[in-house]
Amino acid sequence: MQKMRFILLTAIALYIVMPAKAQMISYDEDKRKQWQSMENGPWDFSPDWYYYFLHKSYSGAESYWKWAGFKSGMRVRFMEHKSNVKRIMPTRVTSEETQRQKMNKTEEERQYIEVLYKEEVAREADRNVDLSYAAYKDEFTRMQERITDGLLYCMNKSKGKLSYQVNELSRLNQVLCADIAYIRKMGVGYGLENAKRRQAYEDFKRRMEELLTRTARLCTVAATHY
């Protein structure tokens, strides 16, 4: 009976003690050295002779004689350059590098957007001032006067018999003048850079010259046939 009681008490004691021990924080110096070596700590392993005989390739272990009086003897040291493995980059180093790259990328994007903004501001300023029309204004005015006078001459000379041809040329001239007025508009949705305005005015000049040529031919018809 006493034997059974002793066994029962022993089992209860073990039941209480074992979970408590399982919850205790264990500290392993050997593993600590191994992890520090593989991350960013000193290149050192323990037990030293164990790594010397069984893991020399990746630990870089080598033996040497150390004089220390009565404690002189062979020692083991670990040479990182003799190891065939590389360190694992620490998490915090990786995080810092990732953050640095993100910051660099953000700065590059900021500079790029700033350049775009400055270019857009310059284009907006360019759109708000029509610097090109002045170079074409006098020539456009001269050709418009000649076209208007020529069409009026044709109508009067033919006594209205060339009204179809006159109306067609007048319609084309009105479309041309409306196109010029549209290009000259400024403001949101209308403004163009002066380079594009200049290109458009060159096209208008060509069209106006063609229209003037057709008007002159019609004037010749009116002069010879009526």
Side-chain angles (χ1 to χ4, degrees):
M1 187 66 178
Q2 290 182 352
K3 186 175 182 181
M4 289 295 295
R5 185 180 298 173
F6 175 76
I7 294 174
L8 182 59
L9 291 174
T10 302
I12 293 173
L14 290 174
Y15 179 79
I16 295 173
V17 173
M18 288 181 66
K21 291 186 63 178
Q23 294 178 3
M24 293 177 60
I25 299 175
S26 59
Y27 181 79
D28 192 324
E29 177 67 15
D30 296 342
K31 288 184 178 179
R32 183 188 68 80
K33 286 185 176 182
Q34 184 179 19
W35 280 109
Q36 283 188 344
S37 298
M38 300 306 293
E39 288 187 348
N40 65 338
W43 192 258
D44 189 21
F45 298 88
S46 179
D48 49 6
W49 287 106
Y50 168 80
Y51 279 92
Y52 176 80
F53 288 111
L54 300 180
H55 300 285
K56 184 185 295 187
S57 58
Y58 80 75
S59 67
E62 68 175 13
S63 61
Y64 70 100
W65 180 268
K66 180 177 180 180
W67 291 98
F70 293 107
K71 295 183 179 181
S72 299
M74 297 297 295
R75 301 285 193 275
V76 174
R77 60 188 174 193
F78 299 95
M79 310 300 292
E80 184 178 355
H81 67 276
K82 292 186 177 181
S83 170
N84 61 2
V85 297
K86 302 297 182 183
R87 289 177 182 265
I88 302 172
M89 183 176 290
T91 302
R92 60 179 175 275
V93 175
T94 305
S95 177
E96 290 172 0
E97 177 63 18
T98 301
Q99 185 66 22
R100 186 185 66 80
Q101 292 180 3
K102 286 182 179 179
M103 292 178 64
N104 290 342
K105 183 65 175 178
T106 301
E107 179 62 19
E108 290 176 1
E109 292 180 354
R110 186 195 66 78
Q111 292 178 0
Y112 175 71
I113 293 173
E114 185 176 358
V115 170
L116 291 180
Y117 172 74
K118 289 180 178 179
E119 290 177 353
E120 183 57 31
V121 169
R123 282 196 294 267
E124 184 64 26
D126 190 47
R127 287 193 289 264
N128 288 332
V129 180
D130 189 349
L131 301 175
S132 303
Y133 183 72
Y136 297 88
K137 179 181 178 180
D138 292 342
E139 193 165 5
F140 284 168
T141 301
R142 179 184 60 81
M143 285 193 289
Q144 281 298 306
E145 290 176 352
R146 293 180 62 183
I147 290 172
T148 302
D149 292 344
L151 293 178
L152 182 60
Y153 169 81
C154 292
M155 185 65 77
N156 293 333
K157 183 69 176 175
S158 67
K159 294 181 172 51
K161 293 181 180 180
L162 291 177
S163 60
Y164 175 80
Q165 291 85 346
V166 170
N167 288 337
E168 179 63 17
L169 292 177
S170 179
R171 184 187 66 81
L172 294 175
N173 190 48
Q174 289 176 2
V175 172
L176 177 59
C177 291
D179 290 343
I180 293 175
Y182 181 82
I183 293 298
R184 293 198 65 197
K185 283 186 177 182
M186 290 176 288
V188 179
Y190 293 107
L192 289 175
E193 292 85 351
N194 280 286
K196 293 181 179 179
R197 281 199 180 102
R198 204 158 36 245
Q199 184 178 355
Y201 290 146
E202 281 292 330
D203 181 61
F204 295 151
K205 178 183 175 183
R206 178 185 56 78
R207 289 166 57 187
M208 198 174 294
E209 288 172 346
E210 292 176 356
L211 194 57
L212 180 59
T213 300
R214 293 179 62 180
T215 301
R217 289 174 182 171
L218 189 62
C219 288
T220 302
V221 172
T224 57
H225 292 80
Y226 301 97

